[in-house]
C-alpha cells in the first residue's frame, strides 16, 4: 500500500494539491519550498501544537534553507475572535510579511480558520499553506478555502473564501492528539460516508477499531478518501451555491447544540455533529424519507465510535425543544421561518431539503428530547 497520496483540488487558476502521508512534516521544507517567493515562512500555530511539533517543522524548513518565525496563539475556539485576529495581523506585519510572502497555518481547524482569514485580509491577501494537525482539520477544515472567525452572535459569521496554495497532512501528527479530539474529528470522517458514499461507510464500519487504535494504513486511506470527496465537492461548488451544502449534514442541529452548550468543552464540534447526524437520519426516517433501520445503523455506528448520537446526552444544557428551535433559526441556513436541512434517503444518499416546515421540526425535537 502507498505511504503517501496526493489529492488535487481543481479550481481554475487556484488549484492545489493536498499531500497526505505519515511523516510528511520532515519533508515540509522540500514540499513547500516552491511556494515561497523567498526562503522565509511565518508559521501561525497554537500552544499545544507548538509544544509538540513546532521544532520538527522549523528544523525541516531549516534543512531546506528556509528561515522561519512563529506566532503562537492560545489553543481553543476562543481564539477565533476579532481580538485575536487583530493581534495576529499586527504580529504578521511586525514579522515583515509582505504581499508576496506566504504564511503557514500549523494546527487544527481553529488555527486554519484564523490564520487563513488573516491571510485573506492581510495586505489584501497573501498566500498561505495549511499544515493541519487534527483529524478534523485533515479531512475537512484545511481543504476548501473557508476561513473565518466567530462573533458573540454566532460561529463563523465573519470570514472569507481564501484557498490555500498547498495542504500537507501528516497523519503521524494524529498520534499525539487527545483521544476525545480524534473521536470528535471522526464524526466528520463518518459524515463523508453518510452523505454520499455508502461503500466508504461500510469500510468505516469494518475498520473502525483499526482507525481508533492508530493503524497508519487505515488512517491514510480514511483521510485520503475524505479529501477526495471534499476536493470533488469544492471543485464543483466552491462558494456553496448548491452541492457543497451537503457537507453541512448534521450541522444545523449540531450548531444549535453547540450554541446551547456555550461552545465549551462540554460538547466539541464533532460531538455536536455526531448528534446532529443521528438526528438528521432519525428526522428523515420520521418524514418517511429513509428506513428506520438506516437511522438505527447510523446511531449504532456513532455509538461504537464512542460518539453521542442523541441530544439527550446534553439535555440539561438545552432549554427544551423551543430553545433548540430558536437557536436553529439563528443559524445562517434559516430563511423566512423555513429551514434548510440536509436529509437522507439512505446511508450515502443525502440531499438538500429546502422549506422544511418548522412545525415538523418542532414535533421531532419534542420527541427526541422526551422519548425514553
Ligand atoms: N473552514 C472549514 O471549512 C471548517 C470545517 C470544519 C470545522 N471548522 C472549524 O474548525 C474548528 C475545530 O477544529 P479542531 O477540531 O481541529 O479544533 P482545534 O483547532 O481547537 O484543535 C483541537 C485541540 O487539539 C489540539 N491539537 C491540535 N493538533 C494537535 C496534535 N497533533 N496533537 C495534540 N494536540 C493537538 C489543539 O491545540 C486544540 O486544543 C472549529 O472552529 C470549526 O468551526 C472549519
Ligand atoms: Zn463540521
Amino acid at each position: 500500500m502507498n505511504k503517501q497520496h496526493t489529492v488535487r483540488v481543481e479550481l481554475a487558476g487556484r488549484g492545489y494539491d493536498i499531500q497526505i502521508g505519515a511523516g510528511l512534516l520532515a519533508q515540509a521544507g522540500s514540499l513547500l519550498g516552491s511556494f515561497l517567493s523567498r526562503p522565509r515562512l511565518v508559521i501561525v500555530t497554537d500552544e499545544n501544537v507548538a509544544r509538540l511539533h513546532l521544532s520538527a517543522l522549523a528544523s525541516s524548513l531549516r534543512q531546506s534553507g528556509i528561515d522561519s518565525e512563529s506566532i503562537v496563539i492560545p489553543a481553543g475556539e476562543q481564539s477565533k475572535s476579532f481580538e485575536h485576529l487583530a493581534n495576529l495581523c499586527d504580529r504578521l506585519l511586525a514579522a515583515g510579511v509582505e504581499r508576496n510572502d506566504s504564511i503557514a497555518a500549523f494546527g487544527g481547524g481553529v488555527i486554519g480558520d484564523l490564520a487563513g482569514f488573516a491571510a485573506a485580509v492581510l495586505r489584501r491577501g497573501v498566500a498561505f499553506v495549511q499544515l493541519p494537525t487534527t483529524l478534523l482539520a485533515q479531512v475537512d477544515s484545511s481543504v476548501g478555502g473557508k476561513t473565518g472567525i466567530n462573533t458573540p452572535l454566532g460561529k463563523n459569521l465573519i470570514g472569507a473564501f481564501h484557498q490555500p496554495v498547498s495542504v500537507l497532512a501528516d497523519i503521524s501528527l494524529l498520534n499525539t492528539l487527545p483521544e476525545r479530539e480524534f473521536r470528535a474529528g471522526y464524526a466528520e470522517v463518518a459524515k463523508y460516508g453518510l452523505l454520499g458514499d455508502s461503500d466508504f461507510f461500510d469500510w468505516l464500519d469494518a475498520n473502525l477499531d483499526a482507525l481508533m487504535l492508530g493503524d497508519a494504513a487505515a488512517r491514510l486511506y480514511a483521510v485520503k478518501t475524505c479529501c477526495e470527496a471534499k476536493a470533488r465537492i469544492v471543485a464543483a461548488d466552491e462558494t456553496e451555491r448548491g452541492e457543497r451544502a451537503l457537507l453541512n449534514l448534521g450541522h444545523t442541529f449540531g450548531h444549535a447544540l453547540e450554541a446551547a452548550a456555550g461552545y465549551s468543552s462540554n460538547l466539541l464540534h464533532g460531538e455536536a455533529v455526531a448528534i446532529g447526524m443521528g438526528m438528521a437520519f432519525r428526522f428523515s426516517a420520521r418524514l418517511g424519507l429513509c428506513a428506520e433501520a438506516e437511522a438505527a445503523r447510523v446511531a449504532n455506528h456513532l455509538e461504537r465510535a464512542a460518539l453521542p448520537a442523541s441530544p439527550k446526552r446534553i439535555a440539561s444544557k438545552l432549554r427544551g425543544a423551543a430553545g433548540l428551535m430558536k437557536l436553529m433559526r439563528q443559524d445562517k441556513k434559516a430563511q423566512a421561518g423555513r429551514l434548510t436541512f440536509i436529509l437522507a434517503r439512505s446511508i450515502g444518499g443525502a440531499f438538500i431539503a429546502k422549506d422544511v416546515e418548522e412545525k415538523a421540526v418542532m414535533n421531532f425535537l419534542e420527541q427526541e428530547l422526551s422519548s425514553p
Side-chain angles (χ1 to χ4, degrees):
M1 180 182 255
N2 281 346
K3 292 214 155 64
Q4 212 162 305
H5 286 288
T6 303
V7 175
R8 180 83 185 161
V9 183
E10 295 286 0
L11 288 168
R14 285 164 301 121
Y16 51 95
D17 286 341
I18 309 163
Q19 309 206 53
I20 307 158
L24 276 188
L25 198 64
Q27 303 167 44
S30 56
L31 293 172
L32 296 178
S34 62
F35 297 103
L36 309 180
S37 62
R38 54 177 171 148
R40 186 162 175 276
L41 187 63
V42 178
I43 302 162
V44 182
T45 187
D46 78 18
E47 295 154 334
N48 295 329
V49 178
R51 179 168 38 82
L52 294 161
H53 303 295
L54 183 57
S55 64
L57 174 58
S59 80
S60 158
L61 294 171
R62 206 176 308 118
Q63 276 164 25
S64 296
I66 302 166
D67 282 337
S68 65
E69 188 170 327
S70 43
I71 297 175
V72 181
I73 309 277
E77 187 72 26
Q78 268 66 32
S79 289
K80 272 176 62 174
S81 68
F82 268 118
E83 194 191 343
H84 283 283
L85 175 72
N87 182 270
L88 173 58
C89 287
D90 286 344
R91 290 170 76 182
L92 289 166
L93 292 171
V97 175
E98 293 177 8
R99 181 70 184 80
N100 289 327
D101 287 338
S102 306
I103 66 178
F106 184 42
V110 166
I111 288 297
D113 281 10
L114 175 70
F117 189 40
V121 295
L122 196 84
R123 297 190 186 276
R124 298 198 179 83
V126 299
F128 84 118
V129 297
Q130 286 272 18
L131 304 171
T133 64
T134 64
L135 181 59
L136 181 140
Q138 295 190 351
V139 300
D140 196 351
S141 62
S142 67
V143 175
K146 279 193 185 177
T147 71
I149 56 171
N150 307 324
T151 83
L153 285 179
K155 262 182 78 112
N156 303 328
L157 294 181
I158 308 288
F161 283 99
H162 187 51
Q163 300 290 346
V165 294
S166 178
V167 181
L168 291 194
D170 181 347
I171 61 161
S172 315
L173 302 178
L174 303 178
N175 296 338
T176 58
L177 197 62
E179 187 185 319
R180 186 177 171 202
E181 294 288 351
F182 186 88
R183 290 182 188 278
Y186 178 77
E188 306 275 11
V189 174
K191 179 182 81 176
Y192 289 98
L194 293 175
L195 74 84
D197 188 345
S198 62
D199 289 344
F200 183 49
F201 187 80
D202 291 344
W203 183 89
L204 291 172
D205 225 14
N207 290 276
L208 184 61
D209 293 343
L211 281 171
M212 292 298 169
L213 292 172
D215 181 293
R219 286 183 172 186
L220 182 66
Y221 178 76
V223 172
K224 170 190 134 248
T225 305
C226 295
C227 286
E228 283 170 348
K230 183 137 189 195
R232 193 191 57 71
I233 292 172
V234 167
D237 177 23
E238 184 181 8
T239 54
E240 200 171 312
R241 285 167 210 280
E243 187 190 6
R244 187 165 178 171
L246 292 175
L247 296 168
N248 295 328
L249 176 64
H251 283 62
T252 300
F253 291 121
H255 283 159
L257 296 165
E258 271 185 286
Y263 300 108
S264 65
S265 56
N266 284 326
L267 189 69
L268 300 178
H269 174 74
E271 293 168 345
V273 169
I275 298 176
M277 293 191 301
M279 292 174 79
F281 273 83
R282 282 193 296 279
F283 189 35
S284 300
R286 194 183 158 107
L287 295 174
L289 295 164
C290 98
E292 299 271 355
E294 292 282 270
R297 191 173 169 218
V298 173
N300 176 270
H301 182 81
L302 295 171
E303 274 155 23
R304 273 184 60 215
L307 283 164
S310 158
K312 272 180 292 186
R313 171 87 165 255
I314 57 153
S316 66
K317 304 277 185 298
L318 308 176
R319 295 213 185 89
L324 258 189
M325 193 70 213
K326 198 170 156 205
L327 290 167
M328 281 197 294
R329 262 188 233 114
Q330 278 166 12
D331 197 70
K332 59 184 184 297
K333 289 172 279 298
Q335 278 175 351
R338 298 227 153 194
L339 293 160
T340 296
F341 279 93
I342 310 305
L343 298 177
R345 295 197 175 85
S346 62
I347 288 172
F351 66 98
I352 303 166
K354 293 189 171 150
D355 282 354
V356 177
E357 275 187 45
E358 279 202 20
K359 195 162 169 6
V361 183
M362 204 43 209
N363 289 341
F364 169 69
L365 291 177
E366 277 163 2
Q367 187 197 28
E368 280 282 291
L369 292 171
S370 68
S371 60

